[in-house]
Amino acid sequence: DKELKALRPLFDQFDSDSSGSVDVSELTKIVTLMKLEMSPAEVKALVAEADEDGSGEISFDEVRATRRRGARR
């Protein structure tokens, strides 16, 4: 999927601690950079929705799974 391939470098850029996943603070930076209007609660909810393993962070595999679920809707 071209969209996911394009998203990977952005994901890696904002994974500031190189943990392989993005936490709420890292996702907040993405939201701010993209000038999206999301409250801190909405960012947390987005992480919770995508966070399949309950780690409090979103791995790229979880991004991929979330994207697949969204495509089926």
Side-chain angles (χ1 to χ4, degrees):
D1 180 288
K2 287 182 182 182
E3 186 176 315
L4 282 174
K5 285 183 182 180
L7 184 58
R8 184 64 201 227
L10 183 64
F11 181 91
D12 290 341
Q13 178 182 349
F14 284 97
D15 177 16
S16 58
D17 61 0
S18 299
S19 65
S21 54
V22 175
D23 63 20
V24 171
S25 67
E26 291 166 326
L27 185 58
T28 298
K29 290 176 188 174
I30 295 169
V31 166
T32 301
L33 180 71
M34 295 179 71
K35 299 182 184 200
L36 301 174
E37 292 186 25
M38 292 181 73
S39 71
E42 289 172 316
V43 175
K44 286 181 184 179
L46 183 61
V47 170
E49 182 180 336
D51 180 22
E52 295 179 337
D53 65 5
S55 66
E57 300 179 336
I58 305 170
S59 68
F60 195 73
D61 286 340
E62 289 169 326
V63 169
R64 211 181 345 236
T66 300
R67 176 72 178 101
R68 281 193 298 264
R69 282 194 308 268
R72 283 188 235 140
R73 291 183 184 169

